[in-house]
Amino acid sequence: MPKNSKAVKRELDDDVTESVKDLLANEDACDDSFKKSSLIVDSSEGEGKECDVEEGGSDGEEEEEERPAWNSKLQYILAQVGFSVGLGNVWRFPYLCQKNGGGAYLVPYLILLILIGIPLFFLELAVGQRIRRGSIGVWNYISPRLGGIGFASCVVCFFVALYYNVIISWSFFYFSQSFQQPLPWHECPLIKNKTSTYVVPECEKSSATTYYWYREALDISNSISEGGGLNWKMTVCLLAAWSMVCLAMIKGIQSSGKVMYFSSLFPYVVLICFLVRALLLKGSVDGIRHMFTPKLEIMLEAKVWREAATQVFFALGLGFGGVIAFSSYNKRNNNCHFDAVLVSFINFLTSVLATLVVFAVLGFKANIMNSKCVALNTNRIVALLGSEIEPSLIPHHINLTQVSQVSADDYHQIIQVLRGVKEDNYEKLGLDSCSIEDELNKAVQGTGLAFIAFTEAMTHFPASPFWSVMFFLMLINLGLGSMFGTIEGILTPLIDTFKVRKEFLTVGCCMLAFSIGFLFVQRSGNYFVTMFDDYSATLPLLIVVVLENVAIAWFYGIDKFFEDLKDMLGFTPYRFYYYMWKYITPILLLVLLCSSFIQLTMTPPSYSAWIEEEALEKTLRFPPWGTAVCISLVVMAIMPVPVVFCLRYFNIIDENPSGLSSVSYKKGRVIKESPQLEDDAASLIHGKFPSEAPSPGKKIYRKQSGSADADTAPNGRYGIGYLMADMPDMPESDL
């Protein structure tokens, strides 16, 4: 080696030396971990690599800061199940099943689960596990110009968390009120004055459970424009809900993962107990039969398929970022395809189980309501005997002197005779049909199912306080499981991007959300919950997931993604996913997006208001400012996508994905080479022979000892994130 060779300049803490040999020999002791590393030449053209790996660790000088990981595979699966299985499985799926053809609804749901649900769920699991970042870092890495997808996911997660925890606070309130016998919503309250005692008019016009929900729990105003001040009971419950979320999330997956064992498994225990108990009650079989009786003609309606696709989409939590965040803490070789299929079908079976429970309980309730209807109308018939109704028209085997002994079948026989005889005058009698089918056809969903219909049914259960405690504790756990994933979808991307302390960010996020949550615990708060539920998530999430699919299939490259999957899983996924991701799923998502947008624009913004004086619900239009808020929610949620695209496109911010959003969890050192390396000493860094010197497309970087080979990739594809310097070509005369 010529002695007059020029020095290679590096940004280390050493003095400049006269040769490569001296340079390596005289490195500072604090650079021991850097010295015991691999020198690798990488070619972007896919040429072979030359590497000289010296085994050995860092001797404890500078330990790698590892990304947190799940304690076990079971903990991870429970976290994903807890996030995907939420309140919608209990109060949305049964309603859709009842509304859209009973058992026949399961057919389009299963088809769309396979065509949309599982492929997209697998895609989110795979990118999170592959890149090991939250949603911001993942989509910034895939395509910097589409980096706004991650920010949009965070905004949607925040909007959803604001009102979702309010629903948990409602469950907290009912849970706290369930330790009473009889339950406080068992009957209407009485008003006593000096002369008489009478039932509260609002309750008398509706029902005990309806009155308790709207007046005692929410103390609701007549419209969204009437704020009415804070409801202090719900404010305390909201504080309890956010405190629980904060404590569970403050240590990340190390704390929330342990909570998952209870919050994810307990709902299944309750559902099974409810199913067994309900099946022993009179009328439960009628409810289940009603639910599974298929109405095949409804399957041909486009609306059924649209609602099934929407339910599949939201049931799995696609687009929120929670799936990606949870998956990013996995080992790189985890079989995420198996996880995707397993969690998707657990979610589906949970929905079916919840539907069985709901219809068994509603069948029992319908039987009770039908018995009350028969008794009431039988008394009406007795009052009309001799005037409007001739006694000879009553069948001889029916004894009207004992009204309690008249069965539903007896009553229907009387009705048939009266209809045949009276014909045109029958309507004047004012008799109801008293049909169990009519009672079951009164479709209820959401809060109406959980806090009105179900609570009314439980008042007729033996030991009703016990079942009420179990039911609302189940709702709390279902809600918390989804909240953990939603909050993780906010925290993980921000921590990966800005490297802030998890504890501070968690507390700050929860305090901010609780402060904004005052909007939802005023007397008109329920109307704002409806507004956020209808407008802050549906359309923005559909746009986010469409862009996610397009980013992988067309920007990153579906063939490249398949190679990544093969490298991760150890096998090539089914070709089915290739065609789904590239063609079928994007088309179906665009159709769903267009239909949802049309429905949103064709339906004027409205909400269901409770009118105290009339004791009934009325559909009211949002005031102009309310409509403006609805539109702004959609715009704010999706705004990060075009903003980031424009900033990248016009080079206002650097388009290099190894910026803030690609911060690594392992420490590396920046290597900067001199732009002009002219001597043979410098050329030895690039290869053993002149012919092996790197071309302009080649890059040089170091790999920490002990790291897996698969983890060494430009731009930190697997989360290692070493920075590289482009090396210019060497003139032959200098070798």
Side-chain angles (χ1 to χ4, degrees):
M1 180 183 299
K3 292 183 179 180
N4 61 347
S5 61
K6 297 179 180 179
V8 178
K9 297 179 181 179
R10 292 173 178 258
E11 284 189 4
L12 301 173
D13 296 331
D14 317 298
D15 294 326
V16 177
T17 56
E18 290 299 323
S19 67
V20 174
K21 180 178 178 181
D22 293 335
L23 177 69
L24 296 176
N26 289 291
E27 284 185 320
D28 198 279
C30 68
D31 290 325
D32 188 51
S33 62
F34 178 69
K35 185 165 58 179
K36 297 181 179 180
S37 61
S38 307
L39 189 62
I40 302 173
V41 177
D42 176 45
S43 171
S44 60
E45 288 83 5
E47 297 173 4
K49 297 178 182 177
E50 290 289 342
C51 59
D52 181 17
V53 181
E54 181 180 345
E55 298 296 333
S58 62
D59 297 332
E61 292 282 343
E62 189 171 350
E63 296 182 1
E64 291 179 341
E65 184 186 344
E66 298 289 350
R67 186 172 181 81
W70 297 102
N71 291 335
S72 67
K73 180 67 175 282
L74 175 62
Q75 192 179 85
Y76 164 68
I77 292 295
L78 289 177
Q80 291 287 15
V81 168
F83 175 52
S84 67
V85 175
L87 297 172
N89 296 74
V90 174
W91 66 33
R92 177 70 178 166
F93 187 89
Y95 163 76
L96 292 174
C97 207
Q98 176 187 18
K99 177 185 173 185
N100 296 319
Y105 174 73
L106 300 179
V107 176
Y109 186 88
L110 264 177
I111 292 173
L112 292 168
L113 179 66
I114 294 170
L115 295 181
I116 294 179
I118 294 177
L120 290 175
F121 195 61
F122 180 27
L123 184 145
E124 290 201 355
L125 290 179
V127 295
Q129 182 174 309
R130 176 72 174 180
I131 302 171
R132 297 177 65 78
R133 305 280 197 280
S135 56
I136 294 176
V138 161
W139 301 113
N140 190 58
Y141 177 85
I142 295 294
S143 175
R145 290 185 181 181
L146 292 179
I149 295 174
F151 288 99
S153 291
C154 285
V155 173
V156 173
C157 277
F158 187 70
F159 283 161
V160 171
L162 288 176
Y163 75 84
Y164 203 86
N165 222 21
V166 174
I167 300 173
I168 297 175
S169 70
W170 294 341
S171 301
F172 265 121
F173 175 75
Y174 268 79
F175 173 74
S176 67
Q177 298 299 308
S178 296
F179 297 91
Q180 303 178 42
Q181 177 67 22
L183 292 169
W185 51 85
H186 176 70
E187 56 186 7
C188 288
L190 300 175
I191 296 178
K192 295 181 180 180
N193 56 26
K194 294 180 180 179
T195 57
S196 62
T197 301
Y198 59 94
V199 176
V200 176
E202 186 181 3
C203 186
E204 190 175 22
K205 293 175 184 176
S206 54
S207 69
T209 51
T210 304
Y211 171 81
Y212 192 87
W213 165 241
Y214 284 118
R215 190 56 49 214
E216 296 293 336
L218 300 181
D219 193 19
I220 200 164
S221 61
N222 285 352
S223 72
I224 194 171
S225 301
E226 302 174 23
L230 288 179
N231 182 339
W232 68 268
K233 293 179 288 188
M234 288 304 169
T235 305
V236 171
C237 291
L238 183 64
L239 177 62
W242 275 115
S243 299
M244 185 169 289
V245 170
C246 184
L247 290 174
M249 298 296 299
I250 198 164
K251 292 294 184 181
I253 62 170
Q254 303 303 323
S255 55
S256 65
K258 294 179 175 63
V259 179
M260 292 295 179
Y261 286 110
F262 180 76
S263 65
S264 296
L265 294 175
F266 180 74
Y268 291 96
V269 175
V270 176
L271 284 173
I272 292 170
C273 290
F274 258 98
L275 181 61
V276 173
R277 184 68 190 92
L279 288 175
L280 299 176
L281 298 172
K282 183 181 178 182
S284 60
V285 178
D286 295 328
I288 294 174
R289 187 188 302 116
H290 175 82
M291 178 257 169
F292 279 109
T293 301
K295 304 177 183 68
L296 298 176
E297 66 280 359
I298 299 181
M299 279 182 58
L300 301 177
E301 297 179 12
K303 184 179 72 170
V304 174
W305 290 82
R306 180 179 62 80
E307 291 189 341
T310 306
Q311 178 62 17
V312 167
F313 182 83
F314 288 108
L316 293 174
L318 300 172
F320 282 95
V323 173
I324 294 175
F326 281 151
S327 182
S328 71
Y329 298 115
N330 263 336
K331 294 179 180 177
R332 191 177 156 273
N333 61 350
N334 175 62
N335 188 347
C336 54
H337 174 253
F338 173 79
D339 300 341
V341 176
L342 177 65
V343 174
S344 298
F345 277 101
I346 288 176
N347 188 292
F348 171 68
L349 294 175
T350 304
S351 298
V352 174
L353 174 62
T355 303
L356 284 171
V357 172
V358 166
F359 274 91
V361 172
L362 291 182
F364 165 67
K365 173 179 172 282
N367 198 275
I368 291 175
M369 300 305 292
N370 192 60
S371 299
K372 290 182 178 180
C373 177
V374 168
L376 179 65
N377 283 272
T378 301
N379 284 325
R380 192 171 296 167
I381 291 173
V382 171
L384 293 173
L385 283 175
S387 57
E388 299 289 336
I389 300 175
E390 299 176 10
S392 60
L393 296 178
I394 306 300
H396 297 294
H397 67 280
I398 300 176
N399 184 10
L400 291 182
T401 59
Q402 294 182 336
V403 175
S404 60
Q405 301 298 320
V406 178
S407 67
D409 291 336
D410 293 338
Y411 175 73
H412 291 144
Q413 285 184 30
I414 297 173
I415 292 297
Q416 281 184 334
V417 172
L418 293 177
R419 278 184 178 174
V421 174
K422 294 293 184 180
E423 295 182 353
D424 297 336
N425 294 325
Y426 174 77
E427 297 296 332
K428 296 179 181 178
L429 299 176
L431 299 175
D432 298 321
S433 59
C434 295
S435 168
I436 290 181
E437 291 295 318
D438 293 341
E439 194 67 37
L440 287 169
N441 281 329
K442 294 178 182 177
V444 286
Q445 65 163 324
T447 54
L449 175 65
F451 299 108
I452 298 176
F454 226 83
T455 52
E456 184 174 351
M458 285 187 296
T459 58
H460 302 289
F461 276 31
S464 55
F466 168 78
W467 294 105
S468 183
V469 167
M470 294 286 281
F471 177 71
F472 289 110
L473 190 57
M474 178 191 73
L475 291 187
I476 291 169
N477 279 278
L478 284 172
L480 287 176
S482 297
M483 272 298 295
F484 294 155
T486 304
I487 297 297
E488 198 67 56
I490 302 171
L491 300 180
T492 298
L494 295 179
I495 291 168
D496 287 349
T497 304
F498 302 109
K499 300 299 289 181
V500 294
R501 283 282 299 272
K502 179 121 190 173
E503 294 85 352
F504 296 154
L505 183 62
T506 303
V507 173
C509 180
C510 291
M511 289 179 64
L512 175 64
F514 172 67
S515 302
I516 299 174
F518 287 137
L519 178 70
F520 303 102
V521 291
Q522 57 181 334
R523 290 185 60 197
S524 60
N526 186 47
Y527 306 136
F528 286 97
V529 170
T530 302
M531 176 192 288
F532 271 68
D533 189 33
D534 290 341
Y535 293 94
S536 71
T538 307
L539 208 60
L541 278 181
L542 281 170
I543 295 172
V544 163
V545 175
V546 168
L547 292 175
E548 286 182 358
N549 198 162
V550 170
I552 290 293
W554 298 96
F555 283 79
Y556 186 76
I558 195 68
D559 295 303
K560 186 178 179 182
F561 189 57
F562 255 66
E563 287 299 317
D564 292 344
L565 290 174
K566 183 180 179 181
D567 184 46
M568 266 201 315
L569 305 176
F571 63 88
T572 303
Y574 300 114
R575 201 68 179 171
F576 164 81
Y577 292 106
Y578 182 93
Y579 297 107
M580 287 295 107
W581 287 330
K582 194 164 187 179
Y583 304 110
I584 307 299
T585 306
I587 292 172
L588 291 175
L589 285 173
L590 286 172
V591 170
L592 180 60
L593 177 62
C594 292
S595 63
S596 298
F597 181 76
I598 291 170
Q599 185 203 21
L600 208 60
T601 52
M602 296 286 287
T603 308
S606 59
Y607 64 100
S608 183
W610 178 258
I611 310 301
E612 181 178 359
E613 294 75 17
E614 302 175 31
L616 52 80
E617 289 184 336
K618 278 189 176 179
T619 300
L620 301 180
R621 296 278 295 273
F622 281 113
W625 63 264
T627 304
V629 172
C630 293
I631 295 171
S632 64
L633 286 174
V634 177
V635 172
M636 282 192 294
I638 207 61
M639 184 58 71
V641 175
V643 168
V644 172
F645 181 85
C646 292
L647 292 175
R648 299 283 197 192
Y649 183 80
F650 294 106
N651 294 320
I652 298 174
I653 58 176
D654 186 16
E655 199 162 316
N656 183 4
S658 59
L660 276 176
S661 56
S662 294
V663 173
S664 168
Y665 274 86
K666 292 187 178 182
K667 297 177 181 177
R669 293 181 179 272
V670 179
I671 304 173
K672 289 187 180 178
E673 298 291 347
S674 173
Q676 292 182 346
L677 298 176
E678 300 175 351
D679 59 358
D680 54 348
S683 67
L684 286 174
I685 294 178
H686 297 276
K688 297 177 181 178
F689 305 101
S691 61
E692 294 176 11
S695 62
K698 293 186 177 181
K699 299 169 184 174
I700 182 167
Y701 59 102
R702 284 189 177 269
K703 164 181 174 276
Q704 288 282 4
S705 299
S707 297
D709 289 342
D711 281 343
T712 58
N715 293 330
R717 176 179 298 175
Y718 309 125
I720 309 305
Y722 290 93
L723 304 178
M724 300 148 291
D726 289 330
M727 305 300 293
D729 203 2
M730 295 281 91
E732 277 192 39
S733 59
D734 287 340
L735 296 175

